[in-house]
Amino acid sequence: MEALVCKKLGDPTALKSSISEADNDSPIILSKTHPIPQLKSPTSVRVRVKATSLNYANYLQILGKYQEKPPLPFIPGSDYSGIVDAVGSGVSLLKVGDRVCSFAALGSFAEFIVADQAELFKVPDGCDLVAAGALPVAFGTSHVALVHRAQLTSGQVLLVLGAAGGVGLSAVQIGKVCGAVVIAVARGDEKVQFLKSLGVDHVVDSSKESVIASVKDFLKARKLKGVDVLYDPVGGKLTKESMKLLNWGAQILVIGFASGDVPVIPANIALVKNWTVHGLYWGSYKIHRPVVLEDSIRELLSWVAKGRITIHISHTYSLSEASLAFAAIKDRKAIGKVMIAIDDERSVKSKL
């Protein structure tokens, strides 16, 4: 089968052309003869991958800068969707031909992946299969953060940093489903206009205006005291500025550090203002709170099927174009999700 293999750590965006098996300089190669994974147990299921999502964590993992560092070589990739290709003798929940989605610690940047039946989710009617492959990590992160941890309620003010990225857009939409007043921060006219089209209450273009001044003016006009929940996948200077907008009793959701700068949240100010700081490492829920994670994904799939949320796919690439796909994330070109279409690439692309 074809599979994207990380053979050494480094920047996967360095190669600006198609990847091949003979590339010596790139940390990733496209293997065309990788062994097809076999069923590991009676309850194992093999999935023919249709589409797999790129997340910033995948990029960091190939760089060697992610908290989890798998031994080399490895196949990157996390969330995916596809069609059940084979089932073990003990599988009772799925059959060959079923549409499914899931996530893995590694391995989805390939034509086939094997998972236990308990780890797979049926994609409901009305939910596009490619969109389902973009859902678990980004929307799962935001759903667990906002619904489970912060318990966001109607009328609260939600401030989303990096709002045009994969997790940012998911947070914006989930915030609207929860009935919150949503303020989004992004960079550039195209991203700002897209966020406005989603019905965001206020959008700040951080490349042109002061986040603090713009948000304060909006809060004053709406007679709101401040921000109740800060959703932060960015870190750095923007986090420091945003803390000046927080209400007494506000909640800070630490999602990631796309800026490359880990911010300092002063404990003395958190004490005086009664802030709650939530660290949110979504992947660890699979180990420590799997039921929360499973319920979250099922609810999200039902929301997609009902049209309550939509998954915007910004760019779609083939496995051989993975360097370009990672560059779209690194250079912040994407509005929403970046995908790799694997099986029957032309028909997948026609749906986007």
Side-chain angles (χ1 to χ4, degrees), residues 1-6 19-21 28-37 74-76 107-112 319-320 322 342:
M1 69 173 182
E2 285 193 349
L4 197 71
V5 180
C6 179
I19 301 168
S20 73
E21 205 158 4
I28 51 177
I29 63 167
L30 179 60
S31 171
K32 294 183 178 292
T33 58
H34 202 82
I36 294 176
F74 64 89
I75 299 174
S108 69
F109 292 177
E111 286 187 285
F112 294 93
L319 274 175
S320 65
I342 297 175

Side-chain angles (χ1 to χ4, degrees), residues 68-233:
E68 293 180 356
K69 297 178 173 61
L72 294 165
F74 64 89
I75 299 174
S78 43
D79 41 356
Y80 62 93
S81 60
I83 305 294
V84 172
D85 173 74
V87 297
S89 60
V91 171
S92 59
L93 303 177
L94 296 164
K95 64 182 184 301
V96 172
D98 280 348
R99 306 187 325 145
V100 295
C101 70
S102 189
F103 57 93
L106 295 168
S108 69
F109 292 177
E111 286 187 285
F112 294 93
I113 190 169
V114 170
D116 190 85
Q117 65 171 347
E119 298 173 343
L120 294 166
F121 300 87
K122 280 189 177 182
V123 177
D125 294 339
C127 180
D128 180 75
L129 187 57
V130 175
L135 180 136
V137 172
F139 278 82
T141 295
S142 295
H143 187 271
V144 171
L146 295 172
V147 177
H148 178 67
R149 297 289 290 276
Q151 298 181 17
L152 184 67
T153 57
S154 179
Q156 287 190 309
V157 178
L158 168 65
L159 174 61
V160 180
L161 307 184
V167 291
L169 269 185
S170 66
V172 164
Q173 292 194 62
I174 292 169
K176 295 300 291 183
V177 171
C178 292
V181 176
V182 179
I183 302 171
V185 179
R187 294 177 64 87
D189 290 337
E190 185 181 3
K191 294 178 179 179
V192 167
Q193 292 306 314
F194 182 77
L195 287 162
K196 287 181 178 178
S197 75
L198 295 178
V200 174
D201 296 276
H202 183 63
V203 185
V204 183
D205 186 344
S206 59
S207 67
K208 293 182 178 180
E209 55 188 328
S210 163
V211 173
I212 295 175
S214 179
V215 174
K216 281 187 174 180
D217 287 346
F218 169 77
L219 293 171
K220 183 178 180 181
R222 293 283 290 265
K223 297 181 180 180
L224 298 165
K225 292 182 179 180
V227 171
D228 299 301
V229 178
L230 171 63
Y231 183 96
D232 183 12

Side-chain angles (χ1 to χ4, degrees), residues 51-71:
T52 181
S53 169
L54 270 76
N55 299 288
Y56 196 70
N58 304 131
Y59 174 62
L60 291 177
Q61 202 163 46
I62 295 172
L63 285 174
K65 295 183 178 181
Y66 195 58
Q67 52 258 38
E68 293 180 356
K69 297 178 173 61

